[in-house]
Amino acid sequence: MVVFSGDLDKAIAAFIIANGAVAMGSKVTILFTFWGLNILRKPEKVSVKKGLVDSMFGFMMPRGSKKLKLSQMNMMGLGAKMIRSVMKNKNITSLEDLIKSAMDSGVEVVACSMSMDVMGIVKEELIDGVKIGGVGYYLGEAEDSNVNLFI
Amino acid sequence: MVVFSGDLDKAIAAFIIANGAVAMGSKVTILFTFWGLNILRKPEKVSVKKGLVDSMFGFMMPRGSKKLKLSQMNMMGLGAKMIRSVMKNKNITSLEDLIKSAMDSGVEVVACSMSMDVMGIVKEELIDGVKIGGVGYYLGEAEDSNVNLFI
Amino acid sequence: MVVFSGDLDKAIAAFIIANGAVAMGSKVTILFTFWGLNILRKPEKVSVKKGLVDSMFGFMMPRGSKKLKLSQMNMMGLGAKMIRSVMKNKNITSLEDLIKSAMDSGVEVVACSMSMDVMGIVKEELIDGVKIGGVGYYLGEAEDSNVNLFI
């Protein structure tokens, strides 16, 4: 899978599919690129030396899964809160637990190196256990894979 | 296919691809999830007992294919009307006819059970002929499939 | 691949994947449909006789790859400029060079004939080397392909 989007709803969909596929015995690799990188950011500010543009990007983009917006009906964050609260009330695993569960069960979470370069994000700013890889690595895995999605 | 989006233009694209694939002899299964569920809603209000949050979701989201917006240049619905009128003038099948034709020719239309739960949508609110299924069902079909798309 | 979106960031992603796949020895076909058609438009105005609605579409949609917007944080074009400038500073190939390189190395760039019809775009308005094809052509190629993405 390629996760290009950094929307809360699409991130949830991606990780539900990933967890489902792993449960059914498949090997799953997800390349996080562009806005998708934000899903993998640590929630706390990491002290890194950066240029002005890189700092601006880092400041303007959501830092980590808890800050993601909905792709529709976000209503300044209210929609995102509503979805999270509904999921909790209906006993559906939260995005953070879906990510943890995916990584614990061997889903390969790869941050796109070129996107990290463009957006000025370094490895230290990403959650633990994330690998760094390029489009070549993804394509190699995709060729061997039965199901490919761009989310 | 997974149809995650509830945009008019993406719904049209999904059903054009589905109808094309069926015409070429392929078996097609589409899982409608999140906003994509709205494409399958009946246009009329269905009387169902719901909690407050479920009712709010139902009220705020477009009820059925005729209420969908464009992903771009929607301009408060004007863009959607324009596209529909252009398609009609140029003798291109409307979304509603594409859906009917797909279902008549055996495209399997599956509503994602977890999304129905999150958004508080029940089977009675969906058009006839829709099956209910989970991500596991989709993944089983996807494994056997040659072409997989996330729309 | 199907490129449905006309966003700068998604266009870049599509062509990076396409160039990567070609470099690894794969055959790549991309069907540009709906907003994706705008990526293929010539930057200059082409003199073609059109009806009013077709002209309006042509006027309102971005003419060519240099006019594309970001899917997020576009900020009236400032975001798009920022991404382009960052890519230049970090020596990442521009979208225009990615397109050229893809076409030079044999990536098949196909404009969706039905979308051209809907949006009133004619062959003369598209960059050189673009083929015209329908969803049937795409599906035929997709069936033979290992990796399929909807962008």
Side-chain angles (χ1 to χ4, degrees):
Chain A
M1 273 193 260
V2 179
V3 175
F4 170 95
S5 161
D7 299 320
L8 173 62
D9 39 0
K10 294 196 178 170
I12 293 172
F15 276 101
I16 286 176
I17 294 172
N19 279 299
V22 163
M24 288 165 76
S26 306
K27 186 177 166 301
V28 180
T29 299
I30 318 180
L31 181 75
F32 290 83
T33 173
F34 273 80
W35 317 106
L37 272 185
N38 293 324
I39 305 169
L40 304 181
R41 289 172 77 187
K42 283 184 188 153
E44 67 272 12
K45 198 166 164 22
V46 179
S47 167
V48 193
K49 256 198 174 161
K50 289 193 185 185
L52 179 65
V53 176
D54 289 351
S55 300
M56 272 176 63
F57 264 116
F59 177 74
M60 283 162 49
M61 296 185 309
R63 198 189 289 137
S65 61
K66 297 224 166 174
K67 300 279 176 60
L68 305 178
K69 296 172 185 175
L70 285 183
S71 67
Q72 295 183 23
M73 301 212 315
N74 189 57
M75 302 174 291
M76 320 254 276
L78 190 65
K81 284 215 179 89
M82 250 175 86
I83 289 276
R84 284 186 177 272
S85 121
V86 168
M87 285 175 68
K88 199 171 169 188
N89 291 339
K90 301 198 174 166
N91 286 316
I92 299 171
T93 322
S94 71
L95 175 56
E96 288 68 34
D97 289 345
L98 285 170
I99 297 176
K100 196 182 171 313
S101 144
M103 294 179 78
D104 285 351
S105 41
V107 169
E108 204 177 27
V109 172
V110 184
C112 169
S113 50
M114 191 192 285
S115 302
M116 289 174 66
D117 196 17
V118 169
M119 295 181 162
I121 289 179
V122 297
K123 196 180 191 325
E124 288 73 36
E125 292 174 276
L126 302 179
I127 54 175
D128 297 330
V130 169
K131 293 180 196 177
I132 315 277
V135 73
Y137 179 74
Y138 158 70
L139 284 167
E141 299 292 297
E143 277 294 329
D144 294 341
S145 168
N146 225 353
V147 181
N148 278 286
L149 302 171
F150 184 97
I151 296 185
Chain B
M1 276 192 256
V2 179
V3 175
F4 171 94
S5 161
D7 298 320
L8 174 63
D9 39 0
K10 295 197 178 168
I12 293 171
F15 277 100
I16 286 175
I17 294 173
N19 280 299
V22 163
M24 289 166 76
S26 305
K27 187 177 167 302
V28 180
T29 298
I30 318 180
L31 181 75
F32 290 81
T33 174
F34 272 80
W35 317 104
L37 272 185
N38 292 324
I39 305 171
L40 303 181
R41 287 171 80 187
K42 284 184 187 154
E44 67 272 12
K45 196 164 164 24
V46 178
S47 167
V48 193
K49 258 198 175 161
K50 287 191 186 185
L52 179 66
V53 176
D54 289 351
S55 301
M56 272 177 63
F57 264 116
F59 177 74
M60 284 163 47
M61 296 186 308
R63 197 189 289 136
S65 61
K66 297 224 165 173
K67 300 279 175 60
L68 305 178
K69 296 173 184 175
L70 286 182
S71 67
Q72 295 183 23
M73 300 212 316
N74 188 57
M75 303 174 292
M76 319 255 275
L78 191 65
K81 284 217 179 86
M82 253 176 84
I83 288 276
R84 283 186 178 272
S85 120
V86 168
M87 285 176 68
K88 200 173 169 186
N89 291 339
K90 300 199 175 165
N91 285 317
I92 298 171
T93 321
S94 71
L95 174 55
E96 287 69 33
D97 289 344
L98 285 170
I99 296 176
K100 197 183 170 314
S101 144
M103 293 180 80
D104 286 351
S105 41
V107 169
E108 203 176 27
V109 172
V110 184
C112 168
S113 48
M114 191 192 283
S115 303
M116 289 175 66
D117 196 17
V118 169
M119 295 179 161
I121 289 179
V122 296
K123 195 180 190 325
E124 288 72 36
E125 293 174 275
L126 302 179
I127 54 176
D128 297 329
V130 170
K131 292 179 196 178
I132 315 278
V135 73
Y137 180 72
Y138 158 71
L139 284 167
E141 299 293 297
E143 277 294 329
D144 294 340
S145 167
N146 226 353
V147 180
N148 278 287
L149 303 170
F150 184 97
I151 296 185
Chain C
M1 274 192 258
V2 179
V3 175
F4 170 94
S5 162
D7 298 321
L8 173 63
D9 39 359
K10 293 195 177 170
I12 292 171
F15 276 101
I16 285 176
I17 294 173
N19 279 299
V22 163
M24 289 165 76
S26 306
K27 185 177 168 302
V28 180
T29 298
I30 318 181
L31 181 75
F32 290 82
T33 175
F34 272 81
W35 317 105
L37 273 183
N38 292 324
I39 305 170
L40 303 181
R41 289 172 77 187
K42 284 184 187 152
E44 67 272 13
K45 197 165 163 23
V46 179
S47 167
V48 193
K49 257 198 175 162
K50 288 193 186 185
L52 179 66
V53 176
D54 289 352
S55 301
M56 272 176 62
F57 264 117
F59 177 74
M60 284 162 48
M61 295 185 309
R63 198 188 289 136
S65 62
K66 298 224 165 172
K67 300 279 175 61
L68 304 178
K69 297 172 185 176
L70 285 184
S71 66
Q72 295 182 22
M73 302 213 313
N74 188 58
M75 303 174 292
M76 320 256 276
L78 190 65
K81 284 216 179 87
M82 253 176 85
I83 288 276
R84 284 186 178 273
S85 122
V86 168
M87 284 175 69
K88 201 174 170 186
N89 290 340
K90 301 199 174 164
N91 285 318
I92 299 171
T93 322
S94 72
L95 175 57
E96 288 68 32
D97 289 345
L98 285 170
I99 296 176
K100 197 183 171 312
S101 144
M103 293 179 79
D104 285 351
S105 40
V107 169
E108 203 177 27
V109 172
V110 184
C112 169
S113 48
M114 190 192 285
S115 303
M116 290 174 66
D117 196 16
V118 169
M119 295 179 161
I121 289 179
V122 297
K123 196 179 189 328
E124 288 72 38
E125 293 174 276
L126 301 179
I127 55 176
D128 296 330
V130 170
K131 293 179 196 178
I132 315 278
V135 72
Y137 180 73
Y138 158 70
L139 284 168
E141 299 292 297
E143 278 294 329
D144 295 341
S145 167
N146 225 352
V147 181
N148 278 287
L149 302 172
F150 183 97
I151 295 183

